[in-house]
Amino acid sequence: MPTPGESGSSSNREVVGAVLKACSLLEHFGVDRPTWTLNELTTVSGMNKTTVHRLMATLIHAGWVDRTDEGAYRIGLRVFEIGSSALEELDIRSAAKGYMSDLAEGFGDTAYLMVPAEQGAVCIDRVEGHNTLVVAGINVGTVIPYHAAAGPTVMLAYSEKLRDRWIRDDLPAFTDRTLVDAAQLREHLDVVRREGYSLSNSDYLDGVAAVAAPIIDRSGALIASISIGGRVEAFEGDDLSAKIDRVRDAAARISTVMQAIPE
């Protein structure tokens, strides 16, 4: 998977391949796997052992990586210092932008970032893909009721507070596919919560489908949703499966970034 904001052009003369390789090695380190041996990094990266050894030696010299007493590699303090500095100025829009661009570029659909508000889900950012469909009804500033469209629905599924305030028996229908029955809506939200994503199909705008996943803070509370939307026929079969995986992955990565921001 490309890193957020990566242009995708390998012919750019300003790009230094060795630096990209070093960065890709660093991306394997995380909370779930804080240390790696040389052999393990060689296997997971697909690079040869000599290249991995030289890159890691360079990262150690730069202060980005340390060695454990057993000889394994771990992230150095310098990375945390730089990361903390960046996080102090980070907000949800800037944290999500690169992932939204990747989704829009990768699938050609329009990517959306929405946050919860009193009257519904507010679209605070969007990135258009190359597909010809322009979803005219959803722009920055648009407020969508929580019981329709993928982005709002996934937020409703992940917030008991929103559920208690929003679900009722007189919900308006936007199309003949809008879910307005309170009992059926609750059952649908339970499925969304269990599966970790929401899928909509012409329930807010005819002919438009979308996939959304929640962005969660360190306490488990909902922050926002990220989604992609486009023509219904582009959200079927293997294409749909790929979009679900990528949107869920983007949401998880953004959640991790937001959870790291100092309180």
Side-chain angles (χ1 to χ4, degrees):
M1 171 188 278
T3 55
E6 183 180 323
S7 67
S9 174
S10 60
S11 62
N12 190 329
R13 295 181 180 179
E14 296 181 355
V15 173
V16 180
V19 176
L20 289 179
K21 288 182 179 180
C23 290
S24 71
L25 290 175
L26 288 175
E27 289 177 353
H28 292 294
F29 293 83
V31 175
D32 59 330
R33 189 66 184 274
T35 62
W36 291 81
T37 66
L38 175 60
N39 287 336
E40 289 170 340
L41 281 175
T42 299
T43 300
V44 74
S45 69
M47 303 178 198
N48 65 63
K49 182 177 290 188
T50 300
T51 298
V52 174
H53 182 268
R54 292 180 63 185
L55 290 173
M56 296 306 292
T58 302
L59 291 171
I60 291 172
H61 183 75
W64 292 76
V65 173
D66 290 330
R67 298 296 292 268
T68 68
D69 292 339
E70 294 76 23
Y73 300 105
R74 65 185 176 193
I75 294 297
L77 182 60
R78 182 62 178 152
V79 174
F80 294 102
E81 292 174 345
I82 294 174
S84 297
S85 176
L87 287 171
E88 289 179 358
E89 303 299 325
L90 193 65
D91 60 17
I92 184 64
R93 189 181 285 103
S94 56
K97 193 70 171 184
Y99 296 98
M100 295 175 65
S101 297
D102 286 345
L103 289 170
E105 180 179 343
F107 295 112
D109 301 307
T110 302
Y112 301 93
L113 181 67
M114 300 182 185
V115 296
E118 183 70 23
Q119 298 302 316
V122 181
C123 178
I124 62 170
D125 202 2
R126 60 174 273 170
V127 178
E128 291 187 9
H130 56 74
N131 289 344
T132 56
L133 176 67
V134 177
V135 184
I138 307 177
N139 299 298
V140 174
T142 298
V143 180
I144 306 176
Y146 287 111
H147 66 289
T153 302
V154 81
M155 286 195 278
L156 190 61
Y158 275 78
S159 172
E160 292 298 331
K161 181 178 179 181
L162 288 178
R163 284 203 200 195
D164 293 342
R165 191 173 76 237
W166 191 265
I167 300 178
R168 57 184 188 274
D169 292 323
D170 60 343
L171 293 170
F174 302 100
T175 72
D176 60 4
R177 298 179 67 100
T178 307
L179 194 55
V180 295
D181 179 82
Q184 292 180 356
L185 179 58
R186 288 192 181 93
E187 183 177 342
H188 173 66
L189 295 175
D190 289 340
V191 174
V192 170
R193 182 69 179 255
R194 184 166 60 250
E195 295 183 346
Y197 69 92
S198 177
L199 173 64
S200 64
N201 185 329
S202 299
D203 65 344
Y204 183 66
L205 297 171
D206 283 318
V208 176
V211 173
I215 298 170
I216 305 297
D217 69 14
R218 70 181 68 181
S219 71
L222 174 78
I223 302 175
S225 70
I226 184 171
S227 60
I228 51 174
R231 296 183 182 277
V232 167
E233 53 267 28
F235 285 72
E236 299 176 346
D238 292 340
D239 289 339
L240 175 58
S241 296
K243 291 175 182 182
I244 290 171
D245 289 344
R246 287 282 298 277
V247 170
R248 290 182 63 186
D249 181 71
R253 289 171 180 265
I254 299 168
S255 295
T256 297
V257 172
M258 298 306 294
Q259 290 164 16
I261 296 177
E263 294 182 343

